[in-house]
Amino acid sequence: MRKMLIASLVAAVLAGSPGGLFAAEGKHPEDRDWPQEGIFGTFDKAALQRGFQVYKEVCAACHSVRYLRFRDLLGIGLDEETIKAVAGEYTVIDGPDDSGEMFERPAKPFDVFPSPFPNPQAARAANGGALPVDLSLIVKAREGGEDYLYSLLVGYTDPPADEEGLPGAYYNPYFPGGWIAMPPPLSEDMIEYADGTPATVEQMAADVTQFLSWLAEPELEERKRVGLKFMLFVLVMTGIFYAYKRKVWARLH
Amino acid sequence: MSTELQQPPFKSGVLRWIDERLPVLTWAYNELVVYPAPKNLNYWWNFGSLAGIILVVQIVTGVILVMSYTPHADLAFDSVEGYIMRDVNWGWLIRYLHANGASMFFALVYIHMFRGLYYGSYKKPRELLWILGVIILLLMMATAFMGYVLPWGNMSYWAATVITNLFSAIPLVGEPLVTWLWGGFTVANPTLQRFFSLHYLLPFVIFAVVFLHILALHQFGSNNPLGIDLSKKDKIPFHPYYTVKDVFGLCVFLLVYGYFVFYAPTAFISPTNFIPADPLQTPTHIVPEWYFLPFYAILRAITFDFLWIVPAKLGGVIAMFAAIGVLFFVPWLDTSKVRSARFRPIYKWFFWLLVIDVLVLGWAGANPPEGWYLVAAQLGTLYYFAHFLVIMPVLGKIERPLPLPTSLSDPVLRGTRSQTAN
Ligand code: HEM
């Protein structure tokens, strides 16, 4: 018993020392409002389309999205023609054909968005040993979701004076540990938005965050729509059965 | 009950023909319609039927999930996140009903058990009823643990690794036992496939035990908030009184369940489980689902060797299993003759202390086993066992219970009537 108490006291002191407990965790992300939040929240289609453009022109150089097929882009409001055209910009490897050869062909709407690297090893080799993760589920796969992703993208700063730099890494307080192998991906006016929106870093970060949020939860709007009907129905049933229960039980008194 | 079966009022000759040869209808009629239930059950008595309903929901959604799920280490994650959630019609609904259904199931069952502890429902003659309940809890834990492994996310993988590793603490046979459980030298595809098989099997075993649980219940009938044996005139037929009340309770429950499924479907799922299983990437904090947290805290509270012969790890495993094992003995550990805490002025307080203790353990289990979290886990563990092994037996001997009524219309009850009849 005494051994236990001493051990716990020692542990308590150790945990209380700075850097003991939270060193590995990143800075708390900024709490932003997103149109898809809340009971009635829906995606902002224009933002999703801009976000797709950011992904396609910037992030796709390093990150794959293996759960995105071109035809899924119907969900962000692109029409079939546009989707065919977008797919046509890419080539995919298909086959084998009748003579047993693999061949290249333009991508079709049913194809998965091509990955920038043939395998994780190649992706690491091109990124100084760090793996640019697949972004399909990234919003669900990080504590803080959209807020974290946005903060990470806009959060690059100069390191504090007492921080020792890491070779091949950039300082970003929101990333656990503070040093991330991804160079700051966004810079002002690096892309030209199709709808003419000024391409500030904040704008691009917010747009691509919403696009990736949609990609992680494409069912969100349908889910909330069905949910509303379900909740209203059950609410009415609750009222009816409450009244009915009182009526039946009144016989007992 | 079983001695005086009533014949259902059949309108159809076909039904009567069947029932004469196979009296299932008579059986169902007597268990679900005429079953005489105490008049004074409160809403805490709704949770048993709700748990039964959610068990059926889990089985139905589970069977549908299996139609699209692939139990293979290379394919499981994609079959859930890439296929069921995206391509299968209503797949997201079935998956979220199932994943959140597990949390709801535990919430309902824990409330149901605390109800039993408060009203002394485990006491003679309902000891076996209670024991069957603890068996259901154990089976549920095994089922939920193995189900959590199936989506093969990174938390699935590491939870499976940590929990199966516990068996390596057993002296001598530990290591070979773990290798045998895994079907290899790490958690890998063979592990996933056997967990899948057992995850499919166990709910049906639970179903069978629930059946026995109800059989045992109807032998002596439900306990009630007063904890006294009621005479016939204080009972009412299950239908329509408790059927409407249960349906009303079901509606309220569906509002809670629906809120999670439709508006916060990932509230109970760790973000780490949206990363595919990766043996090379250990999560910073390996945390089980919320319903295991109090037990997880007890497991990690034992950080010291016990009497120099039981190493800390084995001690933790023993403590964790003992935390559930002790529940089997509750009918005999509680020495009080009075069932309901309503007439036990001191026990009532200790009951609520136990509730708080379990919540504290849950909080400690959610945090790393260091600093105050560890102290809380250790004190919480100590108190948990003290409650069952010391407080319960001693209190039953020294506490002076309030005078018990002899029936629902007894004058002792005056002033509490409004509480008991709802
Ligand atoms: C006692 C009833 C049951 C409980 C408590 C339970 C619990 C769970 C849990 C906690 C998960 C992980 C959910 C997630 O993170 O997605 C799961 C997954 C799964 N369960 Fe069950 N389950 C039950 C019954 C069943 C039955 C009867 C079947 C099949 C006949 C089944 C099939 C599956 C499948 C295929 C998965 C993987 C898909 C997924 O992760 O959503 N379950 N279960």
Side-chain angles (χ1 to χ4, degrees), chain A residues 21 66-67 69 215 223, chain B residues 78 86-87 241 262 370:
Chain A
L21 201 52
R66 64 203 171 98
Y67 292 150
R69 270 158 312 194
L215 185 55
R223 168 156 59 73
Chain B
D78 285 346
R86 289 160 199 267
D87 293 349
Y241 296 103
F262 294 108
E370 52 197 27

Side-chain angles (χ1 to χ4, degrees), chain A residues 57-170:
Chain A
E57 293 180 22
V58 185
C59 323
C62 303
H63 293 278
S64 61
V65 279
R66 64 203 171 98
Y67 292 150
L68 180 67
R69 270 158 312 194
F70 288 100
R71 66 147 193 254
D72 298 335
L73 293 169
L74 284 171
I76 65 168
L78 299 190
D79 57 36
E80 309 239 356
E81 286 312 307
T82 318
I83 290 174
K84 262 191 205 140
V86 172
E89 295 169 26
Y90 296 84
T91 50
V92 292
I93 296 181
D94 202 349
D97 62 14
D98 291 344
S99 54
E101 300 296 328
M102 302 302 280
F103 59 92
E104 287 195 346
R105 64 162 172 78
K108 300 260 175 56
F110 54 73
D111 282 313
V112 172
F113 202 97
S115 165
F117 300 103
N119 51 55
Q121 286 76 2
R124 277 186 195 277
N127 283 282
L131 183 72
V133 290
D134 186 273
L135 294 182
S136 301
L137 291 170
I138 195 75
V139 170
K140 283 202 284 188
R142 290 291 181 278
E143 209 72 65
E146 289 91 347
D147 291 333
Y148 168 72
L149 183 55
Y150 175 85
S151 296
L152 182 77
L153 292 174
V154 300
Y156 287 88
T157 56
D158 292 331
D162 59 340
E163 274 278 350
E164 233 176 277
L166 281 177
Y170 305 82

Side-chain angles (χ1 to χ4, degrees), chain B residues 169 171 302-306 308-318:
Chain B
I302 313 299
T303 48
F304 46 90
D305 298 347
F306 200 69
W308 298 278
I309 38 171
V310 183
K313 185 174 168 189
L314 179 59
V317 176
I318 293 174

Side-chain angles (χ1 to χ4, degrees), chain B residues 134-169:
Chain B
V134 181
I135 293 174
I136 293 172
L137 177 68
L138 278 173
L139 289 168
M140 276 172 65
M141 290 177 147
T143 307
F145 164 65
M146 289 189 272
Y148 190 62
V149 175
L150 301 188
W152 209 238
N154 211 24
M155 201 54 97
S156 299
Y157 180 89
W158 286 96
T161 303
V162 169
I163 301 301
T164 48
N165 241 316
L166 295 178
F167 292 95
S168 70

